[in-house]
Amino acid sequence: MSEFFKKPEGTLSLQTIAMPADTNWSGDVFGGWIVSQMDLAGAIHAERFSKGRCATISINQMTFLVPVKVGDVISCYTKILKVGNTSIQIQIEVWDSHDESRQAKQVTEGIFTFVAVDVKGNKRQIPDEVKQKFLTA
Ligand SMILES: CC(C)(COP(=O)(O)OP(=O)(O)OC[C@H]1O[C@@H](n2cnc3c(N)ncnc32)[C@H](O)[C@@H]1OP(=O)(O)O)[C@@H](O)C(=O)NCCC(=O)NCCS
């Protein structure tokens, strides 16, 4: 399918605006800031899904497709791909919409894995009922 027709996939879990403090010396937003927003978006989805605290255990390879500028609105869309005993694999897409007049562009995407943890930070089982709901959806 042509890139022109690609649309965000998943749930809008986080939306924010790139600020001057998030930029490097060239005026573009740091890649690390974008990864940080993705981590937050994934954690929001993972924690809502697993009904408790989660920790990031891995992030797969990512490619940055277009630069992000100050004032751009960044939207992170999340979609659960796989649910294990304690882990949740989430696809996270980042889209940039400068303003209403321009079509949103995809900035990057990545697959993040979160592990459900208890208050002490030890891994915990994903509740059976939410796992079943995901498997039968
Ligand atoms: C999260 C943590 C408690 C897990 O404990 P652990 O004993 O290492 O857990 P395990 O090796 O049994 O793995 C737990 C789950 O993660 C999965 N997993 C482990 N390593 C993985 C990797 N590199 N990629 C994807 N999944 C991975 C396992 O398959 C397992 O999934 P399952 O239970 O659904 O089958 C521990 O690794 C930890 O505290 N890590 C630091 C987390 C953190 O601080 N993150 C923020 C960044 S600093």
Side-chain angles (χ1 to χ4, degrees), residues 6-135:
K6 194 161 189 272
K7 290 235 161 63
E9 222 186 306
T11 304
L12 177 59
S13 290
L14 185 142
Q15 203 164 40
T16 188
I17 300 178
M19 302 293 275
D22 307 320
T23 59
N24 59 25
W25 53 92
S26 330
D28 291 330
V29 165
F30 283 113
W33 179 79
I34 294 167
V35 176
S36 169
Q37 305 314 306
M38 294 170 82
D39 199 20
L40 289 171
I44 288 169
H45 198 147
E47 294 194 352
R48 276 187 188 149
F49 176 81
S50 70
K51 302 183 187 301
R53 193 175 150 192
C54 289
T56 314
I57 194 156
S58 86
I59 302 175
N60 79 342
Q61 187 186 330
M62 289 169 51
T63 304
F64 292 95
L65 305 170
V66 292
V68 173
K69 304 285 183 190
V70 168
D72 287 1
V73 175
I74 294 302
S75 303
C76 296
Y77 293 85
T78 57
K79 184 179 157 192
I80 296 180
L81 299 178
K82 203 169 117 191
V83 179
N85 293 324
T86 64
S87 67
I88 307 157
Q89 195 185 65
I90 302 187
Q91 171 186 291
I92 306 175
E93 292 186 1
V94 181
W95 288 73
D96 179 335
S97 48
H98 182 78
D99 57 45
E100 293 290 315
S101 65
R102 279 195 246 159
Q103 197 178 4
K105 284 186 178 169
Q106 187 170 6
V107 176
T108 189
E109 69 181 61
I111 295 175
F112 286 50
T113 303
F114 297 86
V115 174
V117 292
D118 62 20
V119 284
K120 290 182 176 162
N122 299 316
K123 64 188 171 191
R124 65 179 168 89
Q125 295 286 313
I126 308 274
D128 272 344
E129 66 274 16
V130 292
K131 209 166 149 181
Q132 283 311 318
K133 213 165 140 189
F134 170 77
L135 293 172

